[in-house]
Amino acid sequence: MVLLGIETSCDETAVAVVANGCRVLASRVSSQEEIHALYGGVVPELASRRHLETIVPLYRLSLKDAGLQTSEISAVCATTTPGLAGSLLVGNHFGRAAASMLKVPFIPVNHLEAHLAVNFLDGLPDFPSLGLVVSGGHSTLFLVSGPNSYEVLGETRDDAAGETFDKVARALGLPYPGGPPLERLASGAATAVTFPLPGVRNTCDFSFSGLKTAVIYYLKDNPGADKASVAAGFQASVAGGILKRLDCALTRNPVKTILTGGGVLANNYLRGRLEQWAADKGVCLRIPERAHSLDNGVMVAVRGFHLLKKLQSTSSAC
Ligand code: KG4
Ligand code: ZN
């Protein structure tokens, strides 16, 4: 089965072609960073307009890259929730129209489940697993009991991890999106300022706004502060807080495998801390390659593949 995956939930337009949930035949991502950087954050109306302009060329390019005719597509999948309403609408409606034109099923996909499902590209893990998604809009811990079974164990009570990176980066005078430049700044630090660990005690819930406020007040009270040391301290604190919540989830759900996903996983320091933590705990850790951590169409096609398999097995059972 060859599936087309469409992602337009925020500020990346992405289309991919994936065979049998495991072989990537094409993956195109068009970033809108340069548009939103002018405003210091995503402007929803501009995002949806750019998706409209980009989706058709990306669809054509993806089919060309894959070397496929439209008749070889078995299903079309698109992210339909959660995300920016206008942006979601573009992928959702384009996907439905394409599926109708090709006379194949349309599969609606949840963005957070897709971030975790991309870990199944190399085969299914042991179930149940824990799933960690840290992105610009979400910080969520899941118990994943099967390829189609996702239960939320905890989520952020305020800002998401990526959102906090973006806001703290702004306070440090860095451009949007803040994660990559903040990581670069932190990598040159000789020392790290100590900040409190974010999170909600004895729960699997995250909370990052206290940390954000602590960094902003630190910068206000110490105008001459070394910004690299502040960035390094902030990054260490985010990673430490995420590991604390994972500790809590693992104690309550002693699984063998941890799945991860979301743009913040592009951060090398966080990847290293997670790898060290997993080795200490003796659990198997899956971290998607950088391009599959950030928003992409492959994850949507992989999630859609498992949903389609489930649909097919239920309809053949009837
Ligand atoms: O998953 P994603 O591509 O889009 C959403 O679903 O939100 O995540 C985007 C987020 C942004 O907040 C961005 O600043 C953050 O991921 N990010 C990073 C890095 N690269 C992207 N955060 C920390 N370090 C990075 N290297
Ligand atoms: Zn995402």
Side-chain angles (χ1 to χ4, degrees):
M1 282 193 292
V2 177
L3 272 73
L4 193 76
I6 298 167
E7 160 59 40
T8 63
S9 66
C10 190
D11 59 346
E12 258 95 30
T13 320
V15 180
V17 183
V18 180
N20 298 321
C22 64
R23 202 154 54 89
V24 180
L25 304 179
S27 178
R28 290 267 177 173
V29 180
S30 168
S31 169
Q32 305 181 356
E33 264 174 41
E34 80 287 356
I35 298 175
H36 304 294
L38 294 172
Y39 304 92
V42 178
V43 183
E45 182 61 25
L46 296 181
S48 51
R49 283 174 194 224
R50 178 48 73 97
H51 287 308
L52 266 180
E53 290 163 3
T54 321
I55 190 91
V56 177
L58 275 195
Y59 165 74
R60 292 202 176 120
L61 280 171
S62 301
L63 283 177
K64 193 167 164 222
D65 292 348
L68 291 180
Q69 303 297 318
T70 48
S71 56
E72 292 170 273
I73 300 291
S74 322
V76 179
C77 328
T79 302
T80 54
T81 191
L84 300 172
S87 293
L88 286 169
L89 211 62
V90 177
N92 188 356
H93 283 250
F94 178 82
R96 284 176 195 276
S100 158
M101 181 185 76
L102 302 174
K103 299 189 172 47
V104 296
F106 173 75
I107 320 273
V109 162
N110 176 293
H111 183 76
L112 304 185
E113 294 175 2
H115 267 306
L116 292 179
V118 82
N119 288 281
F120 305 158
L121 264 177
D122 298 327
L124 293 178
D126 283 326
F127 291 115
S129 306
L130 285 176
L132 167 76
V133 178
V134 274
S135 70
H138 296 85
S139 304
T140 310
L141 269 167
F142 291 88
L143 182 65
V144 186
S145 307
N148 292 304
S149 176
Y150 299 80
E151 180 196 333
V152 173
L153 296 176
E155 52 199 336
T156 186
R157 297 199 182 172
D158 38 61
D159 293 354
E163 183 182 1
T164 314
F165 263 95
D166 295 336
K167 288 177 175 170
V168 166
R170 193 178 180 152
L172 286 165
L174 300 170
Y176 174 86
L182 194 150
E183 180 179 8
R184 279 195 293 278
L185 179 63
S187 69
T191 55
V193 177
T194 305
F195 290 113
L197 286 189
V200 185
R201 259 172 195 273
N202 299 322
T203 74
C204 297
D205 281 345
F206 299 93
S207 165
F208 289 102
S209 68
L211 170 62
K212 173 191 68 185
T213 308
V215 177
I216 289 170
Y217 273 102
Y218 183 88
L219 288 169
K220 225 172 164 182
D221 295 344
N222 301 276
D226 173 40
K227 288 188 174 175
S229 309
V230 174
F234 162 75
Q235 188 174 252
S237 187
V238 171
I242 289 172
L243 295 183
K244 274 244 172 214
R245 305 286 60 88
L246 266 174
D247 267 341
C248 179
L250 187 63
T251 307
R252 293 176 184 188
N253 305 274
V255 301
K256 292 196 187 120
T257 305
I258 314 292
L259 311 171
T260 62
V264 181
L265 261 301
N267 185 290
N268 286 316
Y269 174 81
L270 176 61
R271 290 170 93 97
R273 290 282 301 267
L274 280 166
E275 275 157 11
Q276 185 59 56
W277 174 84
D280 292 347
K281 298 282 173 187
V283 291
C284 165
L285 173 72
R286 292 197 186 186
I287 307 183
E289 63 179 68
R290 198 179 170 280
H292 293 163
S293 299
L294 295 156
D295 285 353
N296 64 89
V298 174
M299 65 186 204
V300 181
V302 176
R303 179 72 194 105
F305 171 76
H306 292 283
L307 283 166
L308 186 62
K309 264 187 33 178
K310 183 180 166 199
L311 272 177
Q312 288 176 339
S313 67
T314 20
S315 56
S316 65
C318 294

